[in-house]
């Protein structure tokens, strides 16, 4: 067995830089689709294969074996992919992307985000409104239940053997007796409690009269009005009626009209000014706003009272005893407090709306100057 040396051919050929390949020219027949954005790269390759099978193309002048095998198809596929990239990216040769309709896309995204934020704000407001309504309903039902229970159980110690008819029959009489005893024991505090309750109810009625639902009233506003009635109206009215009796001690026929005139000039002006001033400061308004509202509403409120109080005070000073006058006046003030609270809060809400309108009108001009 003999070994014969043989010379093997080199496996690899020396690397030579390929020459630039000329772009093939393809003439598409009529009816075949031109470059269109609606065709995907796969569809374009299919059309290229069809063209390569049916049409004559210029042969590729290249020493690369891959180009020799694939021929023009490789070049066409590369060009098709590049053309697709140009269609997607825009100016590919310039090295930047330019999406058509980018502004519309951004506008759509911003509008969708703003709509989502508005929906979130609406849901938060609905939840807050539901919570406020629940709190208000709890307050109203608790206060109403307490008042009705106290009125009906005034004779609870004597109910043994009583019928429902007897309980309802004697409850008003015995409640009145309990009120007279409270007036004798502590007249100022009893009148303060009555005025506080009346002013709170009057403000609630005013809010319902303004169009608010029954359980969507402003608790802070009702508390302010009730606080003014409790701390000021009850006590000041107690001493005012005593002062008025000392000022006009006579029992002549002209005393009642004189008391009514004095009440509806001096005392009405003083009390309306006190109410507006204290309620304004409880709202944390500035002194300029408080006195501005007082100046704007002083005369209209004084003249509005003349449509109601002169007729009511003919009974106040002519029929009602001294110790019972405030209770009668508070019953009439359920109507008057509704008017008083409506006037006061209308001015405040109008001022707030005007301030917000001024801010809204000044914000575009500020943005444009920037």
């Amino acid at each position: 067995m003999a070994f014969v040396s043989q010379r093997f051919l080199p496996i690899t050929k020396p690397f030579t830089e390929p020459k630039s390949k000329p772009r093939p020219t393809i003439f598409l027949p009529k009816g075949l689709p031109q470059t269109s954005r609606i065709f995907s790269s796969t569809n374009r390759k299919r059309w290229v294969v069809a063209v390569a099978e049916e049409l004559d193309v210029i042969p590729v002048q290249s020493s690369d074996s891959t180009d020799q095998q694939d021929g023009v198809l490789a070049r066409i596929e590369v060009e098709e992919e590049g053309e697709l990239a140009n269609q997607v990216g825009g100016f590919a040769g310039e090295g930047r992307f330019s999406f058509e309709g980018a502004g519309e896309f951004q506008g759509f995204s911003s509008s969708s985000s703003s709509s989502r934020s508005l929906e979130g704000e609406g849901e938060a407001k609905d939840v807050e409104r539901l919570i406020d309504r629940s709190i208000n309903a709890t307050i109203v039902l608790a206060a109403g239940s307490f008042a009705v229970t106290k009125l009906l159980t005034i004779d609870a110690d004597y109910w043994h053997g009583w019928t429902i008819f007897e309980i309802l029959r004697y409850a008003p009489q015995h409640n009145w007796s309990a009120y007279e005893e409270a007036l004798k024991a502590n007249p100022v505090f009893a009148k303060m409690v009555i005025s506080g309750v009346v002013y709170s109810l009057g403000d609630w009625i005013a809010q319902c009269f303004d169009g608010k639902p029954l359980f969507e009233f402003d608790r802070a506003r009702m508390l302010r009005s009730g606080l003014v009635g409790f701390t000021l109206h009850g006590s000041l009215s107690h001493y005012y009626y005593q002062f008025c009796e000392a000022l006009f001690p006579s029992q002549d026929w002209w005393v009642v009209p004189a008391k009514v005139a004095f009440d509806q000039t001096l005392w009405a002006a003083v009390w309306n000014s006190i109410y507006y001033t204290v309620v304004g400061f409880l709202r944390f308004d500035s002194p300029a706003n408080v006195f501005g509202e007082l100046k704007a509403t002083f005369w209209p409120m004084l003249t509005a009272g003349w449509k109601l109080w002169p007729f009511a005070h003919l009974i106040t000073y002519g029929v009602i005893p001294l110790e019972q006058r405030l209770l009668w006046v508070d019953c009439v003030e359920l109507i008057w407090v509704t008017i008083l609270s409506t006037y006061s809060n209308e001015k405040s809400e109008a001022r707030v709306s005007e301030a917000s309108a001024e801010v809204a009108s000044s914000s575009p001009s500020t943005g444009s100057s920037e």
Side-chain angles (χ1 to χ4, degrees):
M1 183 174 181
F3 294 91
V4 180
S5 60
Q6 296 181 356
R7 184 179 180 181
F8 294 95
L9 295 176
I11 298 176
T12 60
K13 60 182 180 179
F15 174 78
T16 58
E17 184 177 358
K19 299 179 181 179
S20 60
K21 297 177 286 185
R23 182 176 179 179
T25 303
I26 301 176
F27 298 93
L28 299 179
K30 295 181 178 180
L32 292 179
Q34 304 296 325
T35 57
S36 176
R37 296 184 182 182
I38 62 174
F39 290 96
S40 62
S41 59
T42 305
N43 294 332
R44 295 182 179 204
K45 292 180 181 180
R46 292 176 181 175
W47 282 108
V48 168
V49 172
V51 170
E53 292 177 354
E54 296 179 6
L55 303 177
D56 294 333
V57 300
I58 300 175
V60 178
Q61 298 177 0
S62 175
S63 58
D64 194 355
S65 59
T66 303
D67 291 342
Q68 294 293 341
Q69 294 175 2
D70 295 340
V72 72
L73 295 179
R75 176 64 178 172
I76 294 175
E77 290 176 2
V78 172
E79 287 183 357
E80 290 293 332
E81 293 175 358
E83 186 176 355
L84 181 62
N86 288 338
Q87 292 179 0
V88 174
F91 300 92
E94 296 179 7
R96 65 177 183 271
F97 289 92
S98 176
F99 290 96
E100 294 183 0
E104 297 177 359
F105 178 77
Q106 292 177 357
F108 175 74
S109 61
S110 62
S111 62
S112 60
S113 61
S114 62
S115 62
R116 286 194 297 268
S117 63
L118 290 176
E119 290 177 357
E121 293 178 357
E123 293 178 356
K125 289 181 179 179
D126 292 338
V127 173
E128 183 178 358
R129 181 180 297 178
L130 180 61
I131 294 174
D132 288 341
R133 187 181 297 177
S134 302
I135 295 174
N136 293 342
T138 303
I139 293 173
V140 172
L141 294 177
S145 301
F146 176 78
V148 172
T149 302
K150 292 293 291 184
L151 292 174
L152 292 179
T153 59
I154 189 67
D155 296 323
D157 297 335
Y158 309 100
W159 276 0
H160 184 70
W162 284 22
T163 62
I164 299 296
F165 176 76
E166 290 175 336
I167 294 174
L168 296 177
R169 176 186 175 183
Y170 291 108
Q173 179 182 353
H174 293 169
N175 277 292
W176 181 258
S177 300
Y179 170 70
E180 288 183 337
E181 292 177 359
L183 285 178
K184 293 178 181 179
N186 196 344
V188 177
F189 182 75
K191 294 174 183 179
M192 289 171 63
V193 172
I194 293 173
S195 294
V197 172
V198 167
Y199 269 69
S200 299
L201 288 176
D203 187 81
W204 183 31
I205 295 172
Q207 294 189 46
C208 295
F209 183 76
D210 290 339
K212 289 186 177 181
L214 191 63
F215 295 132
E216 291 187 6
F217 56 90
D218 188 354
R219 295 189 301 274
R221 170 181 163 178
M222 187 178 70
L223 178 62
R224 288 191 295 265
S225 183
L227 187 61
V228 173
F230 175 77
T231 58
L232 296 175
H233 184 263
S235 57
L236 292 179
S237 297
H238 170 77
Y239 294 110
Y240 161 72
Y241 289 123
Q242 290 184 350
F243 170 76
C244 192
E245 285 297 316
L247 185 62
F248 302 98
S250 177
Q251 300 296 325
D252 294 334
W253 64 270
W254 56 268
V255 173
V256 172
K259 290 179 180 178
V260 173
F262 181 79
D263 187 287
Q264 288 302 293
T265 53
L266 183 61
W267 171 243
V270 171
W271 173 243
N272 289 345
S273 301
I274 292 174
Y275 180 85
Y276 273 94
T277 303
V278 175
V279 168
F281 283 122
L282 289 177
R283 287 198 303 258
F284 300 102
D285 292 343
S286 63
N289 291 331
V290 171
F291 293 114
E293 292 179 6
L294 178 61
K295 182 179 179 181
T297 57
F298 177 80
W299 184 252
M301 286 302 302
L302 188 62
T303 55
W306 294 347
K307 302 175 182 178
L308 172 66
W309 284 113
F311 306 99
H313 281 323
L314 289 176
I315 301 175
T316 302
Y317 297 107
V319 179
I320 307 298
L322 177 61
E323 291 299 324
Q324 312 296 339
R325 285 177 184 173
L326 185 61
L327 180 61
W328 159 253
V329 169
D330 282 338
C331 292
V332 180
E333 279 196 350
L334 280 175
I335 303 173
W336 175 244
V337 172
T338 302
I339 302 172
L340 196 67
S341 179
T342 302
Y343 264 87
S344 175
N345 289 277
E346 275 182 357
K347 293 295 181 182
S348 177
E349 292 173 359
R351 179 175 52 79
V352 171
S353 61
E354 288 177 0
S356 60
E358 289 178 359
V359 172
S361 62
S362 62
S363 58
S365 61
T366 305
S368 61
S369 62
E370 292 178 355

